[in-house]
Amino acid sequence: MERILSAIKPTGKLTLGNYIGALSHFKDFQDQGESFIFIADLHALTLPIEPEDLRNNSRDIAAFYIASGLDPKKTTMFLQSSVSAHAELNAIVQNYLYMGELKRMTQFKDKCSKMADTAIGMGIFAYPVLMAADILLYEATEVPVGEDQAQHVELCRDLVRRFNHRYGEILKLPKAVVPTVGARIMSLTDPTKKMSKSDPKGDIFLHDDPRAMRKKIMGAKTDMGPTVTLDPQEKPGIANLLTIYAALDRIPLEEAAHRFDGYRYGDFKKAVADKLDEVMIPFKARYQEIVDSGSYLDVLRDGARKARAVANKTLHKVQEAVGLLTL
Ligand code: ATP
Ligand code: MG
């Protein structure tokens, strides 16, 4: 049976990119195998964040998980920091990944290229190490992620091969599962940049009200020429809006392109905004009910208990393999 693991880090308010690239797929996965979905709060500390924001973002993600259809009976939902095995396995596996590999990671380069070495915390550099520990603890076979995180899963696979070559078949080899449509939603104001919650430019936030969402879609940067065609090189703004539509309607990108071929930009944007309403209004109503009930806190507590049991087993196996005395 497949073991599925994924997470979102509580670095900011969730975006439409997080919904399309991650959240909207989690529910499908929980029906295909055993699923562990967590809130990567330790990862959120890798760039400066106010404690109050971290707390609020973490609670918010929990409520969004449940609103997206994750069922606590099928999916173990928990906070990364509630399971100390993440930090313990991190301390071991960090010795099997190398500086050169970590320096090549695109996320590290993107987030730190303009920072002085003296301002870059160890955590952001070593981020893929902790992420590998996250994945390995649950013996995940499938890791649904957007495109930006696929490289980190690849690195985790290298680590597994290296580790198992040295110690035998101890760690499970995971694989990244990247959605075919919507793995990389771009900024609405600059379609050459990824929509990101920690660096919000041209983001649609899940917290935006329907009017604000519509205004952002209608004002999205478009390209030369008056009508819609799918051409990611020449028309990245239109390609991004077509991707958003296709992902929300759950159809292939080419089908969306065919549906709107020759539309004038204004009419097309209106159709995208309508689709967004259709998906977001009921989703956010569910979210609000969950927030009001406060039930997500019990879900996280129960989830942490279940997660600890699974994670500690793997940790123990790894400790023994490398020669730590487990007394
Ligand atoms: P940060 O700016 O803090 O890195 P983020 O918006 O990139 O935030 P993450 O917490 O890094 O979000 O990622 C959570 C999940 O959302 C991951 O699976 C990631 O691949 C996915 N994701 C993030 N941004 C996008 C995007 N623009 N399009 C599609 N998927 C995305
Ligand atoms: Mg990210």
Side-chain angles (χ1 to χ4, degrees):
M1 183 156 76
E2 299 296 350
R3 265 279 176 86
I4 292 111
L5 175 116
S6 200
I8 297 181
K9 55 180 186 290
T11 43
K13 298 290 167 211
L14 293 196
T15 70
L16 185 62
N18 300 134
Y19 179 83
I20 290 178
L23 260 186
S24 69
H25 300 284
F26 291 167
K27 181 176 179 295
D28 302 337
F29 281 106
Q30 89 181 341
D31 297 322
Q32 291 165 21
E34 208 179 339
S35 114
F36 292 81
I37 305 285
F38 67 98
I39 298 163
D41 52 356
L42 292 173
H43 274 122
L45 289 171
T46 56
L47 290 173
I49 185 164
E50 289 301 321
E52 199 49 28
D53 290 339
L54 180 53
R55 277 190 282 272
N56 288 334
N57 295 339
S58 298
R59 292 189 189 107
D60 217 33
I61 292 179
F64 274 123
Y65 279 167
I66 302 169
S68 73
L70 289 184
D71 173 356
K73 289 194 199 76
K74 296 184 188 166
T75 296
T76 304
M77 282 174 266
F78 60 100
L79 288 158
Q80 183 184 30
S81 62
S82 303
V83 183
S84 57
H86 289 250
E88 293 177 77
L89 187 62
N90 178 74
I92 298 175
V93 295
Q94 65 181 344
N95 302 301
Y96 306 89
L97 284 170
Y98 301 112
M99 300 278 287
E101 291 172 315
L102 296 174
K103 276 187 196 158
R104 279 199 296 277
M105 291 294 109
T106 309
Q107 175 179 270
F108 174 66
K109 288 196 275 190
D110 281 355
K111 292 201 194 280
C112 301
S113 62
K114 293 190 195 81
M115 290 164 70
D117 270 359
T118 46
I120 301 171
M122 267 299 295
I124 188 74
F125 181 64
Y127 183 109
V129 180
L130 180 58
M131 181 163 159
D134 299 338
I135 295 169
L136 298 172
L137 278 176
Y138 300 93
E139 308 200 307
T141 49
E142 307 213 331
V143 185
V145 284
E147 222 168 68
D148 57 326
Q149 296 294 336
Q151 194 184 30
H152 293 162
V153 182
E154 270 315 306
L155 193 62
C156 177
R157 287 166 63 85
D158 292 341
L159 164 69
V160 170
R161 290 191 196 100
R162 199 170 287 158
F163 191 93
N164 286 353
H165 182 71
R166 171 83 175 78
Y167 299 104
E169 288 299 306
I170 303 290
L171 300 173
K172 193 101 187 166
L173 190 67
K175 77 169 181 291
V177 186
V178 181
T180 45
V181 186
R184 191 173 171 81
I185 299 299
M186 310 306 275
S187 152
L188 294 182
T189 50
D190 180 355
T192 62
K193 293 212 162 60
K194 185 182 92 73
M195 194 182 277
S196 282
K197 62 178 136 56
S198 68
D199 182 21
K201 283 189 206 88
D203 285 23
I204 287 187
F205 295 103
L206 300 186
H207 276 304
D208 288 341
D209 63 33
R211 273 206 10 232
M213 285 193 187
R214 181 167 293 268
K215 205 163 154 213
K216 288 182 182 178
I217 296 282
M218 296 311 290
K221 187 169 187 298
T222 39
D223 317 288
M224 298 288 280
T227 59
V228 173
T229 48
L230 178 60
D231 183 346
Q233 298 305 320
E234 297 298 318
K235 292 178 179 251
I238 289 296
N240 191 36
L241 290 174
L242 280 169
T243 304
I244 291 173
Y245 184 94
L248 293 174
D249 203 36
R250 299 190 157 234
I251 57 172
L253 182 57
E254 292 67 27
E255 194 178 326
H258 183 70
R259 190 174 296 176
F260 293 106
D261 190 43
Y263 267 55
R264 300 189 73 80
Y265 289 165
D267 295 333
F268 167 54
K269 285 177 168 176
K270 190 173 168 306
V272 178
D274 289 345
K275 184 54 69 185
L276 197 56
D277 271 353
E278 189 186 309
V279 174
M280 282 296 143
I281 291 174
F283 172 61
K284 285 174 55 187
R286 280 199 301 280
Y287 161 83
Q288 198 52 53
E289 270 174 35
I290 292 155
V291 170
D292 294 344
S293 77
S295 56
Y296 57 91
L297 292 174
D298 286 331
V299 169
L300 292 180
R301 277 189 208 103
D302 276 1
R305 246 193 316 274
K306 288 187 210 153
R308 271 184 218 117
V310 176
N312 286 336
K313 248 192 188 156
T314 312
L315 176 65
H316 194 260
K317 205 159 71 172
V318 171
Q319 288 170 328
E320 295 212 313
V322 300
L324 297 172
L325 291 175
T326 51
L327 302 174

